[in-house]
Amino acid sequence: MNKTELNHNKQLPSKEERHQLFGSVKPGPRTKPVDKDKMADLQNSKKDFLFDIDMVGISNVKHPIRIPSKLTPEIQTTIGTFSFGSSIMKGSKGTNMSRFTEQLDKYHNEGFAIDIATLKGFTEELAGRLKQKDAEVEVHFPWFFERKGPYSDLAGMNYADATIRDEYKEETGHDVTVTLTGKITTLCPCSKEISEYSAHNQRGNVSMTVTLTDDFDEQEIDWKAALLEAAESNASARIHPVLKRPDEKMVTEQAYENPRFVEDIVRLVAADLYEYEFVEAFSVTCRNEESIHLHDAVATLSYDKKQETE
């Protein structure tokens, strides 16, 4: 008897009988309306529901998006993770959740490129669709960029995690913040100072959250590339996807020549962000995955330029 014949020895009940075996029942009588205009709309109920709600919406919505970049690749398709929301007053019971995804699908059909201007238009239009005076949209995505070895010039792909958040209010307009988290190499200054030779180094994670000025022009400046440069240019060394031996020698020696504590990183990155004219306020965090400890080392610095003129 061959294997195929063995598989057909078991006699199974029909699929309908199997469903009934596991709890399925026949449909009961249908008494409620099926036409939308005849259905009850609980979300749009109007009463005194006690409290205003700051924000209600949906989150963890994954959707394909296009990312423009001034670094190679200049156009890339990736997955965005969205959050949408708006406030509602106590006179309304709830929001219409389907309108968030309807709005997303509309922009997808038009070719959804995630840039600041497009996202502002999306948020403002969403507020109108929801019949609210405010709305907020946040999208998180991996951003890829080409990185070449310093000696061999052999290229590979690195990535950083990027986030854009737009809060729109009818009275005050848009408040846009962007976040970029990239990885760097850091070498411990203390280890270098006290050791006869060598020094421990580790991977550092630099996260920068920036409030953009109202006149920010993404056609002139790629905020992702600018924030990445602020982090990497102040590190002990940059991270590379492809390193041949001459490359590795150069990166290792560069790290040894540029030791950095986490405190050093956040201050140096802050100095660059301070000099960027398109940055209104910022927060920088550096977290080192320590190579000779079980803990991480972390430092955070925040600064608001507007306070200088107040």
Side-chain angles (χ1 to χ4, degrees), residues 102-114:
E102 286 174 353
Q103 175 86 356
L104 184 59
D105 188 62
K106 174 181 179 292
Y107 271 69
H108 171 68
N109 292 333
E110 297 171 355
F112 201 177
I114 299 295

Side-chain angles (χ1 to χ4, degrees), residues 139-151:
V139 55
H140 176 79
F141 54 91
W143 166 57
F144 291 87
F145 55 92
E146 185 182 88
R147 170 60 46 77
K148 295 180 179 180
Y151 183 88

Side-chain angles (χ1 to χ4, degrees), residues 15 33 75 89 99 121 123 127-128 153 170 175 181 247 256 260:
K15 192 163 188 176
I75 293 292
M89 300 298 99
R99 292 179 183 173
T123 311
D153 214 32
E170 191 177 88
D175 184 11
T181 301
D247 298 312
Y256 192 78
R260 298 283 190 267

Side-chain angles (χ1 to χ4, degrees), residues 225-260:
L227 266 58
L228 178 69
E229 180 64 15
E232 292 190 328
S233 64
N234 290 299
S236 298
R238 300 176 192 250
I239 300 287
H240 294 78
V242 180
L243 287 175
K244 306 303 286 185
R245 279 175 293 173
D247 298 312
E248 187 171 354
K249 171 181 169 61
M250 292 180 67
V251 170
T252 302
E253 291 174 348
Q254 180 188 6
Y256 192 78
E257 293 162 356
N258 295 275
R260 298 283 190 267

Side-chain angles (χ1 to χ4, degrees), residues 212-225:
L212 300 176
T213 56
D214 292 337
D215 61 353
F216 172 71
D217 186 354
E218 201 169 12
Q219 296 301 315
E220 294 184 6
I221 300 171
D222 184 346
W223 65 268
K224 303 181 296 300

Side-chain angles (χ1 to χ4, degrees), residues 22-65:
F22 287 94
S24 296
V25 297
K26 292 183 178 180
R30 298 292 192 257
T31 60
K32 294 186 177 182
V34 294
D35 295 331
K36 180 182 177 182
D37 58 355
K38 295 179 181 178
M39 292 179 175
D41 190 355
L42 294 180
Q43 288 175 320
N44 284 326
S45 300
K46 304 299 182 184
K47 291 181 182 179
D48 185 347
F49 290 104
L50 306 181
F51 295 99
D52 297 338
I53 295 179
D54 296 335
M55 193 280 289
V56 59
I58 60 177
S59 64
N60 199 29
V61 180
K62 297 190 184 300
H63 206 277
I65 54 174

